[in-house]
Amino acid sequence: VGKSAYRIICIYKPPACSLQYFADMCACITYLSSINTPVFMCGDFNYPTINWRLAPPDLASSEGIFFDCIAQNGLTQCITEPTSVHNNHILDLLFVSNPLNLFDCYVHEPFDDSDHYSIHFSLWGVNKQNNLHRPNGNFQHVRYNFSKANYVMLDRYFKSVN
């Protein structure tokens, strides 16, 4: 948006991953979050038992270490509704470095035949000084014309990606 700079991070954490994978993921989050630019991190983290309003009871568990990694990097988790089609778990998460840069965040119907609901969100335009763009005193809003998208090709592409 305008001269805005964002860091958008997408992560997938398998339900059962090695300790090395987990350590590398946390180190990557720390590295990618250590900039003076708004950070938006989303993905399927597969932590069904974390209550993001409370610290996990076992801070030595992988859930506790991940919770601490997110807190130490100043990120806020924004999804409050279940994202799994099959149960009441919040598996897909959205973290932001500044919740004021985010608006209109909600969980919506699944994409194609996915077993996860999709997450929709919008960003306020932020310039490098972290000020909202206000051309002529109004907020700038970008709209994409999704009616012109080639959904058949998008569907083919997403089905080819593991």
Side-chain angles (χ1 to χ4, degrees):
V1 178
K3 295 180 182 180
S4 299
Y6 301 105
R7 174 152 293 167
I8 299 175
I9 306 164
C10 297
I11 294 181
Y12 172 73
K13 185 195 81 61
C17 64
S18 69
L19 184 58
Q20 186 61 50
Y21 184 100
F22 179 73
D24 290 345
M25 181 184 75
C26 287
C28 185
I29 290 169
T30 298
Y31 175 75
L32 292 173
S33 299
S34 63
I35 60 170
N36 192 20
T37 299
V39 173
F40 300 87
M41 180 173 69
C42 57
D44 182 355
F45 290 88
N46 284 302
Y47 282 118
T49 60
I50 293 181
N51 178 344
W52 289 98
R53 296 174 191 198
L54 304 169
D58 181 7
L59 292 176
S61 67
S62 67
E63 289 89 351
I65 294 168
F66 181 67
F67 188 96
D68 189 56
C69 170
I70 295 302
Q72 291 296 321
N73 286 294
L75 300 172
T76 301
Q77 203 290 109
C78 302
I79 304 302
T80 58
E81 301 173 55
T83 60
S84 172
V85 170
H86 302 296
N87 53 46
N88 204 26
H89 296 152
I90 301 175
L91 302 176
D92 305 287
L93 305 172
L94 172 63
F95 299 97
V96 297
S97 57
N98 183 350
L100 296 177
N101 292 335
L102 177 74
F103 73 99
D104 203 23
C105 177
Y106 59 95
V107 175
H108 195 57
E109 65 187 51
F111 179 76
D112 198 31
D113 61 350
S114 174
D115 63 343
H116 291 245
Y117 293 107
S118 59
I119 296 171
H120 293 239
F121 61 94
S122 299
L123 315 175
W124 285 113
V126 178
N127 67 19
K128 293 184 188 232
Q129 287 78 34
N130 219 19
N131 297 318
L132 292 172
H133 284 290
R134 293 188 178 124
N136 301 324
N138 297 319
F139 288 107
Q140 181 176 345
H141 186 72
V142 175
R143 291 191 182 264
Y144 295 98
N145 188 350
F146 291 104
S147 66
K148 292 186 177 185
N150 186 338
Y151 289 103
V152 173
M153 290 302 291
L154 284 170
D155 184 52
R156 222 178 271 152
Y157 170 76
F158 287 126
K159 285 181 177 176
S160 72
V161 176
N162 185 2

